[in-house]
Amino acid sequence: MKSIKSIFLLIVMSLIFMIMNMSSVVAQIRRPIGTNLAGVVDWSSEFVFVDVMKQSRNWVPHDIGPNADWDSGIEIPLNSDGYPLEIPYDNGIDSPQGVRAIMFADLEYVYPNGEYRFIADGVGQIQLWGAASVTFQCPIDTIINLDNSSGLLVLEILESNVNNPIHDIHVVMPGYHDTFASNPFHPELLSFIEDFQVIRFMDWMSTNGSEVQEWSDRTLPNYFTQTIPSGVSYEYLIELSNLTQKDLWVNIPHRASDDYITRFAEMLRDQVDPSLSIYLEYSNEVWNNIFSQNLYAAEAAESIGYTGEQWDLSWQYTAKRSADVFRIFEDVFFDHERLVKVIPGIAVNSWVNNFIIDRFNEELYNPTGVTADALAIAPYFGGVANSIADAGLANTISIEAILDSMENSMPESFLWMDQNKQLADDYNLDLIAYEGGQHLVAYFPYSDDETFVNKLLDANRDPRMENLYCTYFDYWYDTVGGGVFANFSSHGGYSQYGSWGVKETYEDINAPKYLGLKNCVFSYNSISNTDNLSLAKSEVRLYPSIVTDQFTIEAQLNNFSIRIYDMNGILHQSINSQSNTSTIATQQLQPGLYFVHITNADNEVRYVSKIIKQ
């Protein structure tokens, strides 16, 4: 039955392709670009969910009473969706325990002010403090006002009845009170993703140091928060990719059993839109000894009879386990073309990658002879901070000189790209980037030098950074001929630990790094028309692109028609407009991606745009 389903899906996608060709509109992706998404944590400026509780910190247990420590460390029994079975909790040894969850930590003036919908089921008492100060008897469904001048919101469960414990808590942002369940993602996240072709979910999956081994270890979508060590539920990864129509890049946990890999493959096969590609990577940077997966791989390799030093063993196991992952996925997937099988490499030393690829191609490590599609590296540039400080320049160097040093470091990154491209070509692999961008961060002992660190942060905000990004991406795409580049990373505040976000917040649309992507990558990728029909933006304006109940079209045409198709090419609405402005109701559309076609009186397609219905 599964094979019949797969064949049907392939036929459907072929029909979609024909329908899109009939409209003579194709996407031209000259510079394929992906993004790593920031980790889902309570202190992140990247608000993933409109229900803030989904991004809260996991419960912090504490003694009930005055002058108690912030975290008692006591393990409190929870139900399957993460709520305490009873509060106060008394284990007969320690003091009675309560729990608290934290939202918006260190995000003063970043999160929205205003009216939040607060919901809690069950019987008990909840107290809020920080951005709000109020106590509720549950069950409750009410409106609370948050003051974003406070750097956090804390939710305390003071009492929870063992016969009907508090559960199903929601803290819903203004504007989404009635839609959070059916449309969980923040629209600014969806808008940001729109310009990329691939989403890498390494941080969403909490890949580094992951303890996930069996399928039962994964996070479920109904768990009260998605910030726990097992990462975000895979259902949310799939829903986001399907909704935005972006290929998804997953990182298989280094401890994952064959059963886990098989079940994950089945989930992706059955639930991911069949038109989307799935990038497969074994863990993340297993070669890097700062991560626990490096030691795990070395010990696992030794346990099955491989020999060598720790670094050597970890490379061997990377080759072996990558082959295992690819084979299991190919056994599960009817359509192997949907898979992009990635050999994970290191940018600075192509010899290491040569070693891993050679082992991958040996029968000892890959007895079934499964093939790979791409070699992935992380060719960062500008990792000059410690060199500057080592030279005694931390206190005197200017922002301009820091940027000069970053620019002077680029030829080294370019050399890594060139060497790995040659290696990839030798093995008939695509060269892609799993991460990349600037790497201006100070490490010990300079990471505590506040004055120096602030200079590094200011350099990331300097307008000249846009030009550095343009030079960097020009070389990758035009000189090297590199493929998909998964920029690191999406949104995040800058600190002594790095300035990884291409933007610091959603509103940071003029961030130089983001402008570098916008003007030197996104601008090369567009919807174009193979029949030379005009898609003039000056003639038509559509807003917003992410809609709930309606959107508006302004057109410099006397008469025009509006047709709305879903991603399967099915026509949902056809409207004739006699005025320059039309407001289109969308209540009847199900959430998802749609294509809006504007045709003139001669039935010529004049404009095509995407909208995302929430």
Side-chain angles (χ1 to χ4, degrees):
M1 291 299 293
K2 291 178 179 176
S3 295
I4 294 173
K5 177 181 179 182
S6 299
I7 293 170
F8 174 74
L9 291 174
L10 286 174
I11 293 171
V12 169
M13 294 317 300
S14 297
L15 289 172
I16 295 170
F17 179 78
M18 287 188 292
I19 291 168
M20 292 307 296
N21 274 349
M22 287 170 61
S23 68
S24 301
V25 177
V26 296
Q28 288 191 334
I29 306 300
R30 295 167 57 193
R31 295 191 168 188
I33 185 73
T35 184
N36 283 266
L37 291 182
V40 180
V41 292
D42 62 277
W43 61 86
S44 175
S45 61
E46 184 163 276
F47 306 130
V48 171
F49 302 101
V50 294
D51 179 1
V52 183
M53 197 65 184
K54 284 288 185 186
Q55 203 161 335
S56 71
R57 194 174 306 183
N58 205 1
W59 299 119
V60 179
H62 61 90
D63 295 351
I64 293 178
N67 304 316
D69 290 340
W70 174 261
D71 186 345
S72 66
I74 304 298
E75 186 173 344
I76 294 179
L78 306 174
N79 64 18
S80 61
D81 49 2
Y83 292 97
L85 297 178
E86 181 182 17
I87 296 293
Y89 168 66
D90 189 349
N91 61 12
I93 301 172
D94 302 289
S95 300
Q97 298 290 302
V99 294
R100 61 173 64 98
I102 302 166
M103 291 155 269
F104 300 136
D106 296 323
L107 292 173
E108 48 268 89
Y109 299 111
V110 176
Y111 61 93
N113 255 330
E115 295 185 342
Y116 286 64
R117 184 180 177 188
F118 181 76
I119 306 170
D121 206 350
V123 176
Q125 188 178 63
I126 289 177
Q127 181 183 60
L128 301 176
W129 56 271
S133 181
V134 63
T135 300
F136 294 114
Q137 292 298 131
C138 300
I140 188 76
D141 185 345
T142 189
I143 300 297
I144 59 175
N145 278 282
L146 296 194
D147 177 1
N148 69 3
S149 66
S150 173
L152 79 170
L153 173 69
V154 180
L155 182 153
E156 304 251 10
I157 298 182
L158 303 179
E159 297 175 6
S160 186
N161 188 298
V162 66
N163 296 314
N164 186 10
I166 288 175
H167 62 283
D168 202 24
I169 302 175
H170 304 280
V171 183
V172 184
M173 286 184 169
Y176 312 107
H177 293 175
D178 299 321
T179 59
F180 72 93
S182 58
N183 301 298
F185 299 115
H186 197 290
E188 290 286 358
L189 177 67
L190 302 181
S191 180
F192 173 78
I193 289 171
E194 186 174 344
D195 288 310
F196 298 90
Q197 288 78 58
V198 182
I199 306 172
R200 186 169 183 255
F201 288 106
M202 183 269 293
D203 278 328
W204 271 35
M205 296 181 73
S206 298
T207 302
N208 295 321
S210 175
E211 294 295 323
V212 171
Q213 180 172 343
E214 301 300 336
W215 190 238
S216 58
D217 297 333
R218 75 195 189 282
T219 304
L220 297 177
N222 67 336
Y223 205 82
F224 86 94
T225 181
Q226 297 291 301
T227 67
I228 59 178
S230 50
V232 176
S233 82
Y234 305 148
E235 286 85 352
Y236 281 127
L237 274 63
I238 293 168
E239 183 177 357
L240 182 63
S241 293
N242 285 345
L243 180 61
T244 58
Q245 286 295 282
K246 307 301 176 185
D247 297 336
L248 67 165
W249 187 324
V250 295
N251 299 75
I252 305 301
H254 60 280
R255 297 177 181 272
S257 67
D258 284 1
D259 179 70
Y260 165 99
I261 299 169
T262 300
R263 288 171 178 263
F264 193 25
E266 291 170 344
M267 171 185 273
L268 294 174
R269 178 200 62 196
D270 295 340
Q271 297 183 28
V272 174
D273 187 308
S275 68
L276 302 178
S277 295
I278 299 167
Y279 289 69
L280 299 174
E281 180 185 5
Y282 174 61
S283 189
N284 175 69
E285 295 189 358
V286 180
W287 52 263
N288 194 335
N289 62 14
I290 71 170
F291 296 130
S292 62
Q293 51 261 37
N294 174 266
L295 178 60
Y296 171 87
E299 292 177 343
E302 196 169 36
S303 71
I304 56 178
Y306 300 166
T307 60
E309 300 294 329
Q310 179 175 326
W311 46 267
D312 187 340
L313 289 166
S314 71
W315 301 345
Q316 294 178 64
Y317 197 73
T318 297
K320 178 257 192 304
R321 207 55 181 150
S322 293
D324 292 344
V325 170
F326 300 163
R327 172 187 53 79
I328 292 171
F329 266 78
E330 285 198 352
D331 288 345
V332 169
F333 273 70
F334 173 80
D335 179 13
H336 297 176
E337 295 301 313
R338 296 179 62 190
L339 305 176
V340 181
K341 295 161 290 180
V342 177
I343 297 289
I346 178 172
V348 302
N349 193 336
S350 61
W351 183 87
V352 174
N353 303 336
N354 202 152
F355 180 96
I356 294 173
I357 295 171
D358 280 345
R359 300 295 86 74
F360 177 84
N361 288 330
E362 291 180 17
E363 186 176 2
L364 174 64
Y365 304 91
N366 183 4
T368 63
V370 66
T371 59
D373 299 303
L375 168 65
I377 61 172
Y380 285 101
F381 77 93
V384 298
N386 273 42
S387 297
I388 291 171
D390 286 342
L393 300 175
N395 293 327
T396 59
I397 194 167
S398 66
I399 304 302
E400 190 69 17
I402 292 174
L403 292 165
D404 286 342
S405 184
M406 294 184 73
E407 185 170 8
N408 292 336
S409 76
M410 279 190 171
E412 183 178 41
S413 297
F414 295 163
L415 177 62
W416 301 337
M417 295 177 187
D418 292 336
Q419 290 173 339
N420 282 288
K421 182 62 164 70
Q422 182 60 60
L423 176 64
D425 288 347
D426 290 344
Y427 285 93
N428 196 30
L429 299 171
D430 294 330
L431 180 66
I432 62 178
Y434 66 86
E435 290 176 17
Q438 62 76 38
H439 204 283
L440 189 63
V441 58
Y443 295 106
F444 181 84
Y446 307 114
S447 54
D448 291 329
D449 184 337
E450 185 176 352
T451 300
F452 182 50
V453 166
N454 285 337
K455 290 181 181 181
L456 304 180
L457 308 189
D458 288 342
N460 268 276
R461 299 181 179 113
D462 191 278
R464 186 176 161 194
M465 187 64 77
E466 177 185 350
N467 294 330
L468 295 185
Y469 263 59
C470 286
T471 300
Y472 178 68
F473 283 114
D474 285 348
Y475 195 90
W476 171 264
Y477 291 113
D478 294 342
T479 303
V480 177
V484 167
F485 193 109
N487 183 72
F488 193 87
S489 183
S490 48
H491 299 87
Y494 297 170
S495 73
Q496 68 186 100
Y497 305 109
S499 304
W500 305 116
V502 72
K503 295 194 294 178
E504 295 182 70
T505 66
Y506 285 134
E507 289 74 28
D508 193 19
I509 59 174
N510 292 315
K513 289 182 290 190
Y514 182 68
L515 292 178
L517 284 176
K518 182 178 178 181
N519 295 326
C520 298
V521 180
F522 302 159
S523 62
Y524 286 75
N525 305 327
S526 63
I527 293 177
S528 65
N529 189 288
T530 57
D531 291 337
N532 264 337
L533 297 179
S534 169
L535 300 176
K537 299 277 185 177
S538 61
E539 288 187 323
V540 180
R541 178 171 176 248
L542 182 152
Y543 58 91
S545 60
I546 299 174
V547 301
T548 53
D549 296 328
Q550 62 185 30
F551 66 92
T552 300
I553 294 174
E554 296 176 353
Q556 297 178 21
L557 299 169
N558 292 328
N559 297 294
F560 62 94
S561 297
I562 304 156
R563 297 187 179 95
I564 302 175
Y565 299 89
D566 65 20
M567 58 166 290
N568 297 316
I570 297 173
L571 178 64
H572 283 262
Q573 286 180 256
S574 181
I575 302 161
N576 293 320
S577 178
Q578 303 298 321
S579 65
N580 291 337
T581 302
S582 291
T583 299
I584 315 301
T586 59
Q587 290 94 333
Q588 75 279 16
L589 297 179
Q590 295 297 312
L593 177 72
Y594 294 86
F595 296 90
V596 180
H597 288 212
I598 308 297
T599 60
N600 63 12
D602 296 325
N603 206 33
E604 295 176 323
V605 177
R606 304 295 288 173
Y607 181 82
V608 176
S609 184
K610 294 182 294 184
I611 59 169
I612 297 172
K613 171 66 191 318
Q614 286 202 304

